[in-house]
Amino acid sequence: MLKPTYPITTERLTLRGFTPEDLHDLHAYESLPEVARYLYWEPRDLDTTRAFLDKKIARTALLDEGEAIDVAVTLTETGELVGNCVLIWTSKQHRQGEIGYVLHPRFHGRGYAAEATRPLLGLGFDDLGLHRIVGRLDARNRASARVLEKLGMRREAHLLDNEYVKGQWASEIVYAMLAREWHHP
């Protein structure tokens, strides 16, 4: 079981739970076609963002496999919401997890995605006792691959045309890290 204590701070970022006040900032990037491009969902209207925000607000603890925690990523200096990260407990028996992240394009290229996701690796390995954590991405998303590489994850698989997404076949790349490879910051 894992229930993080917030806030979690890094050099430039503060990670916290979502609140209803995050609606418009979250919608500002979830509504963008370039954000949804490599994800399973289309750009979201305000009502859809609100529904998913409600889920993010509720997902605060990992009590059993299949559950996730959603973390709001903010700039420590200003409090501005720049994106979100997720840690999913995918298997209790095999001690497996998955990480993910989405940032507003205005904040791409600054190292925020890796900086925000690194503490989630720590939560998974150090606090939940996971053995292995993966990151999965659309094979066309080179920027996301660079984030996982920056975290020290290794590319393990390139699955060709393994999913039918948004009316076309998409290939997936899987990165992973084992607990013994995790280097505490």
Side-chain angles (χ1 to χ4, degrees):
M1 183 180 109
L2 172 66
K3 184 169 177 72
T5 302
Y6 297 114
I8 299 169
T9 58
T10 68
E11 183 180 336
R12 303 173 293 167
L13 304 172
T14 299
L15 311 180
R16 60 168 175 76
F18 275 94
T19 69
E21 291 74 31
D22 292 319
L23 176 62
H24 293 288
D25 290 336
L26 180 64
H27 183 253
Y29 63 88
E30 285 196 347
S31 63
L32 298 174
E34 63 266 35
V35 169
R37 179 179 180 196
Y38 298 124
L39 301 173
Y40 293 110
W41 39 271
E42 296 291 346
R44 293 179 171 157
D45 61 28
L46 188 60
D47 288 336
T48 304
T49 299
R50 182 179 290 110
F52 278 93
L53 176 59
D54 290 343
K55 289 179 184 180
K56 290 178 190 312
I57 291 169
R59 295 182 355 166
T60 60
L62 297 174
L63 304 176
D64 205 350
E65 71 180 24
E67 295 183 338
I69 53 171
D70 284 293
V71 180
V73 179
T74 64
L75 294 177
T76 300
E77 192 172 296
T78 65
E80 185 175 5
L81 182 70
V82 299
N84 57 276
C85 295
V86 63
L87 174 64
I88 307 164
W89 189 4
T90 57
S91 173
K92 190 175 194 174
Q93 177 183 356
H94 303 292
R95 296 174 36 215
Q96 307 278 316
E98 181 177 341
I99 55 168
Y101 41 85
V102 178
L103 264 65
H104 192 299
R106 280 194 353 234
F107 300 100
H108 287 181
R110 300 181 196 183
Y112 291 149
E115 185 176 335
T117 307
R118 190 169 285 111
L120 294 186
L121 289 172
L123 290 173
F125 289 129
D126 300 334
D127 298 341
L128 191 57
L130 296 179
H131 171 70
R132 182 171 183 270
I133 298 176
V134 302
R136 301 177 310 119
L137 58 117
D138 185 299
R140 299 169 294 174
N141 193 344
R142 286 296 311 142
S144 187
R146 285 191 300 275
V147 169
L148 297 174
E149 291 163 1
K150 188 174 184 179
L151 289 169
M153 299 180 87
R154 122 189 104 272
R155 183 174 160 163
E156 288 192 338
H158 186 157
L159 309 172
L160 299 176
D161 289 353
N162 69 312
E163 295 181 310
Y164 196 72
V165 180
K166 299 178 183 176
Q168 63 183 3
W169 286 104
S171 297
E172 178 180 33
I173 295 180
V174 179
Y175 281 80
M177 178 183 282
L178 298 175
R180 68 177 176 255
E181 298 168 320
W182 167 241
H183 302 290
H184 304 273

